[in-house]
Every structure is written in C-alpha cells, then in structure tokens.
Amino acid sequence: MIKTIGVLTSGGDAPGMNAAIRAVVRAGCELGIKVYGIMRGFNGLMSNDMYEMNLRSVSDIINRGGTILCSARSERFKTEEGMQAAIRTCRERGIEGLVVIGGDGSFRGARDISLKGIPCVAIPGTIDNDIGCCDYTIGYDTAMNTIMQMVDRIRDTAESHDRCAVVEVMGRGAGYLALSSGIACGATSILIPEVPYDFDRDVIERMKRTQRSGKVHFVIMVSEAIGGVEEMAKRIQAETGVEARATILGHVQRGGSPTSKDRIVASRMGYHAVQLLKDGIGNRVVAIQKDEVMDFDIYEALGMKSSIDLEMYKMAMEISI
Ligand code: ATP
C-alpha cells in the first residue's frame, strides 16, 4: 500500500474544494497514509512548498469557501523543466500518489504526472460544471445559488423602476451556470454559447411580446462566453424603450460557504480518490453520474464532451414569457 500522498488545488477556486481536501486528509490518515498539503497548485509541487497535514489541519474548513491550500495557474508546469522539478519534489518527499482538485486543465497536468510514474487522481472542482464525464462538479451548486441570490436582489430594484437587468454570469466556455440560474431567476431570455441566438428574435421580440401581456421589468441572463452586456443594455433601451442596466457579477460567484450538495459531493469524491490511490491506481478522474461516484481513465474523461440539456433550454424559453 502507498505510504505518502499529496493533495493540491489548481485552476480557478471553487466552493467545496476545502471539503474535498478534508476528505482526502481524513481518509488518508485513517489508512495510516502520510498526507502533504501542497500550496498553490502545481507551483507548490515544483517549488517543494508543502506541509504535512493531520486530522486537525482540516478542522473547521468544511464550511469555508475558497481553498486553504490556495490555487494557481502555472505555465511553467506545462514545460519539461517544470515537470522534472515536480517529479524531483515527489521523489524527495517520498510522494507516491497525488490528488489534484481542479478543472480539465488541471486534469491534463494530472495525466502528465501519471505518465511520469506518479499515480494521480483528479477531482472535478470548478463552478463551470463543464466536465464531460461528470454530471456535476464541485462548486457548481454554490455558484448557482449565489447567482440566484444576487439576481433576486437585482430583480427587486429592476421591478421598482420598471427596468431591464442584463446580467453576465461566469462559466468560461460553458452555459450551464447561465442556463440553470436563468431558469431559477425566471429570466426572459438566456443567451448561452451552446445555442445560436438572434438578438432581435430572442431578446427584443421576446421582450416586446411580454410587454404586450403587461410585463414591465425583465431579466436577461448572458453567459460570459457571449459577453457584451453593456452594448446589449444600450440596444435594449433604444429598441424597446425600457431602461436597461448591465451587471457583470464577477468574482462574487466564486466565493461563499459551500452548499450542502457541494460539501457532500466533495466529501464523497475526496474519499473515493484516496481509495484508488491507496492501491496505487492513478491516471483516473473521479466523477459522479446519477448520484453514483465512479472513476474514469483521464484520457477517456478528457475526450468526453459536456453537453447542455436542450430540452431544458426549450422549457425555460416556453415558461419565461
Ligand atoms: P478552471 O476550470 O477553474 O479554469 P482548470 O483546471 O481548467 O480550472 P487551467 O488554468 O486550465 O484551469 O489549468 C490549471 C493548471 O493546470 C495550469 O495552470 C497548468 O499548470 C496545468 N495544465 C493545464 N493544461 C495543461 C497541459 N496541457 N499539460 C500540463 N499541465 C497543464
């Protein structure tokens, strides 16, 4: 059985990462495995910046957003020199396995280390929910709820002034957050990269139609992959006569205490990762499908495309009019 492992968080932070770290450390300690907490993603692995964790190092973190190990993006790690530095650290510390918590970029890093002989298990931690092999990624539920709460506030003021709120939400190249929060907030239009749109037909005409039925305030949800909310607001105001304001929600979406769903999924995934690593199994991605925790080969996982539920989009358009 493996004696020493490391855990790191990489890429954009996501609420629930701490719950995953906690599960990895506690499951590792339970098996008598030494667990290093590696600071700032792959940077800490290359620069040997880490500390030994124990049962109490992860006390009181299950409820905290962000990541106690800090996160980073590292170009150096993609180079052969960076990879060699990381492998050297693993050899010096006796690290025989790694848990990498992050998005698909981090999975590629985990795959590369596995190829160099250090078994690596990746856990999907990203608010974007854009991992093909997985129904759900850690942080998505919290981000969705944060957006909903923020847009509820924006809606209060839009309602008071008969305005249109044009809101940009995160998701990088994926529209999951915009679609789900658009449904939860009753947005009149939802613009996501997966569904081609015509601004006149899908925003202006929809607004005019709802105006005719008596609606006087509106929410338009726009994915960051589409952007341009300021220009959209100007165009809406010019073409419908409704005063329009743009809001880019930004980093507020990444923070906050994780929801119960994120804490539970993160705990299950962290535990599962250690069960794989203890037997020396690496190059795997932990996933959840239909509420069952499973794992996939990283190559296979990276080849799987995530796709939007078009029926859900159609439903949202039919009921938010
Ligand atoms: P998020 O979805 O939140 O943005 P991510 O994990 O996809 O998270 P990236 O910036 O794409 O974020 O990747 C994180 C880090 O993983 C990179 O900074 C880099 O160190 C490593 N990484 C990304 N792509 C590769 C690759 N092709 N080979 C090796 N390492 C990589």
Side-chain angles (χ1 to χ4, degrees):
M1 197 173 85
I2 266 182
K3 291 192 183 60
T4 307
I5 62 172
V7 55
L8 60 85
T9 46
S10 167
D13 66 323
M17 280 181 162
N18 279 329
I21 295 167
R22 172 180 176 273
V24 169
V25 173
R26 295 259 167 97
C29 290
E30 191 63 21
L31 291 164
I33 296 173
K34 186 194 275 189
V35 185
Y36 283 112
I38 300 163
M39 299 303 296
R40 298 181 175 78
F42 295 117
N43 281 338
L45 196 58
M46 292 182 292
S47 63
N48 203 346
D49 184 8
M50 62 184 73
Y51 63 102
E52 190 180 333
M53 301 182 90
N54 59 39
L55 292 174
R56 298 280 71 79
S57 349
V58 288
S59 297
D60 301 320
I61 66 166
I62 197 164
N63 54 325
R64 280 165 58 189
T67 154
I68 59 163
L69 296 176
C70 301
S71 191
R73 301 184 198 273
S74 163
E75 282 306 308
R76 183 181 163 216
F77 182 70
K78 294 183 186 171
T79 66
E80 185 54 30
E81 182 275 322
M83 176 59 71
Q84 287 310 326
I87 300 294
R88 224 172 15 251
T89 303
C90 290
R91 300 263 144 81
E92 276 172 34
R93 295 275 191 172
I95 293 174
E96 300 163 287
L98 279 170
V99 179
V100 171
I101 307 166
D104 57 353
S106 305
F107 291 4
R108 292 190 174 85
R111 173 202 59 195
D112 291 356
I113 307 185
S114 293
L115 276 178
K116 299 282 183 187
I118 313 280
C120 226
V121 176
I123 294 180
T126 167
I127 63 168
D128 304 337
N129 201 31
D130 59 349
I131 303 295
C133 66
C134 205
D135 289 349
Y136 185 80
T137 60
I138 297 168
Y140 178 59
D141 190 57
T142 306
M144 195 162 43
N145 278 287
T146 302
I147 294 169
M148 186 183 75
Q149 287 160 16
M150 296 300 121
V151 176
D152 282 352
R153 285 163 169 75
I154 293 170
R155 192 191 182 103
D156 286 346
T157 168
E159 192 178 344
S160 303
H161 291 270
D162 295 346
R163 279 186 188 138
C164 173
V166 188
V167 184
E168 181 189 300
V169 300
M170 282 183 169
R172 283 186 112 183
Y176 294 97
L177 275 177
L179 176 57
S180 55
S181 56
I183 293 171
C185 297
T188 300
S189 294
I190 302 171
L191 305 184
I192 54 175
E194 294 85 352
V195 179
Y197 70 94
D198 174 311
F199 196 78
D200 283 325
R201 182 194 63 203
D202 299 319
V203 179
I204 304 294
E205 283 313 313
R206 280 180 72 81
M207 281 182 65
K208 285 184 177 165
R209 193 177 142 203
T210 55
Q211 270 179 317
R212 285 195 291 276
S213 66
K215 195 172 169 77
V216 287
H217 61 274
F218 307 84
V219 172
I220 310 295
M221 200 68 86
V222 183
S223 164
E224 72 173 325
I226 291 175
V229 285
E230 293 284 353
E231 292 70 31
M232 285 182 190
K234 284 187 193 138
R235 200 165 150 192
I236 287 168
Q237 193 158 320
E239 294 182 32
T240 65
V242 178
E243 201 181 342
R245 294 275 200 280
T247 305
I248 298 174
L249 282 186
H251 281 91
V252 70
Q253 296 163 92
R254 284 198 182 278
S257 176
T259 59
S260 57
K261 176 160 181 171
D262 277 326
R263 296 181 199 193
I264 293 166
V265 170
S267 299
R268 293 175 71 191
M269 287 182 167
Y271 178 82
H272 189 86
V274 174
Q275 306 313 310
L276 291 169
L277 276 186
K278 79 174 193 314
D279 296 325
I281 299 171
N283 200 35
R284 307 294 292 176
V285 172
V286 180
I288 192 157
Q289 288 186 3
K290 296 190 170 60
D291 203 37
E292 193 188 331
V293 177
M294 52 186 71
D295 51 271
F296 290 89
D297 179 90
I298 297 188
Y299 282 98
E300 200 188 326
L302 285 170
M304 292 160 89
K305 291 270 161 286
S306 60
S307 58
I308 280 283
D309 183 343
L310 292 175
E311 280 303 310
M312 197 143 99
Y313 183 84
K314 185 169 167 281
M315 177 277 294
M317 291 302 93
E318 285 184 24
I319 63 171
S320 296
I321 199 82

